[in-house]
Amino acid sequence: MENETKKGKQKIEMKLIKSERACAVSFSKRKKTLFDDAKKFATQNGADVGVMLFSPGGKPYCYGSTSVEDIIENFLKMKVEEKSNGFEKLKDLHKELETCNEKEKKRVLMHRILNPGLEIPQDKHMEEQKLALKLRVEKIKKETQNSILMEHLKFDLNVAPEPQDEE
């Protein structure tokens, strides 16, 4: 027995379970573990935790340290607040862009004064800054659109999908 090698914990490859029965058994066991872990997390950290699951058969299950409806409502409120933060970010970007434009105007004016008649060279650093600002504007635009879409989502937790009859 002393010379036996132990395998220890093996990494299990995550893949879709093909067998319906095995899938249902695995779902049941993992659901219980997930809900227990959510309860532990909420107890230890004092956080509001909500978990919503739909079984492979379409049956809904949920756990909430407080009511799941309250957790979803708080989540959606946070998304709406993020949208207003998007407007603040846009104001900050606008100020940065105005500063860049002022610097560029001063640079062009100084070049015209010091080198009259010569072509004004491009400022690569300024072009990079403008490109970075443009990318940030696009990112904020996408985030704002996503938060607006989330605001329009309506959750009705009282409606459960109809169970499908297996024939």
Side-chain angles (χ1 to χ4, degrees):
M1 285 208 190
E2 293 176 22
N3 295 334
E4 287 183 28
T5 57
K6 296 181 180 179
K7 291 186 177 182
K9 267 193 171 178
Q10 297 273 320
K11 184 174 181 179
I12 299 172
E13 182 183 347
M14 297 303 288
K15 59 183 177 182
L16 182 65
I17 300 171
K18 302 280 189 218
S19 165
E20 286 183 29
R21 186 165 188 260
C23 185
V25 169
S26 178
F27 177 84
S28 177
K29 288 179 181 179
R30 288 179 181 260
K31 176 187 67 147
K32 181 182 180 334
T33 304
L34 181 63
F35 286 173
D36 288 344
D37 288 346
K39 183 178 180 181
K40 250 191 252 180
F41 185 82
T43 303
Q44 290 175 346
N45 297 301
D48 287 338
V49 177
V51 179
M52 292 175 51
L53 300 174
F54 289 90
S55 70
K59 186 174 178 183
Y61 296 92
C62 65
Y63 165 80
S65 56
T66 61
S67 79
V68 175
E69 291 86 356
D70 289 345
I71 293 171
I72 291 171
E73 190 175 310
N74 289 339
F75 179 78
L76 292 175
K77 281 181 188 175
M78 295 297 290
K79 286 295 185 181
V80 170
E81 287 174 13
E82 283 179 16
K83 182 179 79 173
S84 64
N85 287 341
F87 293 117
E88 293 299 319
K89 289 177 186 176
L90 283 174
K91 285 181 187 176
D92 293 342
L93 279 175
H94 180 65
K95 287 178 186 176
E96 283 184 51
L97 188 57
E98 284 179 341
T99 304
C100 282
N101 286 337
E102 289 299 318
K103 286 180 183 177
E104 180 68 9
K105 286 179 186 177
K106 287 179 184 178
R107 185 185 74 82
V108 168
L109 182 61
M110 288 300 292
H111 188 275
R112 285 188 179 153
I113 292 171
L114 297 173
N115 305 307
L118 291 179
E119 188 177 324
I120 301 168
Q122 272 191 329
D123 184 356
K124 291 182 182 178
H125 179 68
M126 186 65 69
E127 295 299 320
E128 289 173 358
Q129 273 187 317
K130 287 182 180 179
L131 179 63
L133 286 172
K134 184 178 179 181
L135 292 173
R136 286 172 54 195
V137 167
E138 290 299 319
K139 181 181 176 189
I140 292 170
K141 182 180 172 184
K142 285 181 184 177
E143 288 173 356
T144 305
Q145 286 173 340
N146 288 342
S147 65
I148 289 170
L149 287 175
M150 285 297 295
E151 184 179 335
H152 290 293
L153 286 177
K154 301 293 181 201
F155 288 96
D156 187 358
L157 299 176
N158 296 324
V159 177
E162 293 292 323
Q164 296 177 350
D165 294 329
E166 294 180 17
E167 293 180 22

